[in-house]
């Protein structure tokens, strides 16, 4: 598991690890990056769970397991990572290929002092044509 980003290089390594875990559909590897009391916000979560915010690692595991079960294929293509040291915030830009869809996507991760994601926000939906 990569350490919390501290600069541009470590932010890129963290993002590439996160992308590789998703491309392998290794939900446990993704969850290992999150604090137990994390929050995750997503437009897809609102559809699947009825709430736009998922609270806690166990609920996040359930949500992601349900979300990927309805996708024929998933591949994320890394574009860039942007780290804000003072805010302990990482922005990852990528292309999400979900079955036949290609979407522009970004995720924002806020880290706690222990180096785990305490809050994540998924932003996606525009076509990546």
């Amino acid at each position: 598991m990569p350490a919390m980003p501290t600069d541009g290089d470590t932010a890129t390594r963290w993002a590439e690890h996160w992308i590789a875990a998703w491309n392998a559909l290794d939900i446990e590897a993704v969850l290992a990056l999150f604090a137990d009391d994390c929050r995750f916000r997503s437009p897809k979560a609102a559809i699947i769970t009825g709430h736009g915010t998922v609270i806690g690692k166990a609920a996040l595991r359930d949500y992601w397991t349900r979300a990927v079960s309805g996708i024929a294929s998933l591949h994320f293509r890394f574009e860039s990572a942007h780290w804000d040291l003072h805010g302990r915030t990482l922005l990852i830009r990528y292309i999400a290929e979900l079955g036949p869809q290609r979407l522009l996507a970004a995720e924002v991760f806020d880290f706690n002092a222990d180096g785990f994601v305490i809050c994540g926000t998924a932003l996606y939906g525009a076509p990546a044509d």
Side-chain angles (χ1 to χ4, degrees):
M1 181 172 80
M4 178 176 73
T6 56
D7 58 26
D9 290 338
T10 57
T12 296
R13 282 195 295 279
W14 195 98
E16 289 172 340
H17 174 84
W18 178 84
I19 292 271
W22 273 116
N23 286 341
L25 290 177
D26 188 346
I27 292 171
E28 291 305 315
V30 179
L31 284 168
L33 303 168
F34 283 74
D36 290 339
D37 59 344
C38 65
R39 290 177 296 125
F40 187 78
R41 300 175 291 211
S42 164
K44 187 134 195 126
I47 295 166
I48 292 176
T49 70
H51 306 283
T53 301
V54 178
I55 300 172
K57 195 183 276 192
L60 192 53
R61 177 182 290 111
D62 179 61
Y63 159 60
W64 280 337
T65 300
R66 290 169 59 193
V68 300
S69 71
I71 298 172
S73 64
L74 175 148
H75 180 77
F76 291 171
R77 192 183 73 212
F78 176 75
E79 290 201 326
S80 63
H82 306 275
W83 175 245
D84 172 11
L85 176 63
H86 300 293
R88 288 196 310 244
T89 301
L90 174 63
L91 169 73
I92 301 173
R93 290 183 5 185
Y94 61 100
I95 302 293
E97 297 174 2
L98 307 170
Q101 292 183 308
R102 290 184 70 242
L103 305 173
L104 297 174
E107 305 232 4
V108 179
F109 300 104
D110 298 315
F111 290 78
N112 65 18
D114 295 324
F116 292 97
V117 175
I118 192 67
C119 184
T121 304
L123 309 163
Y124 53 84
D129 296 327

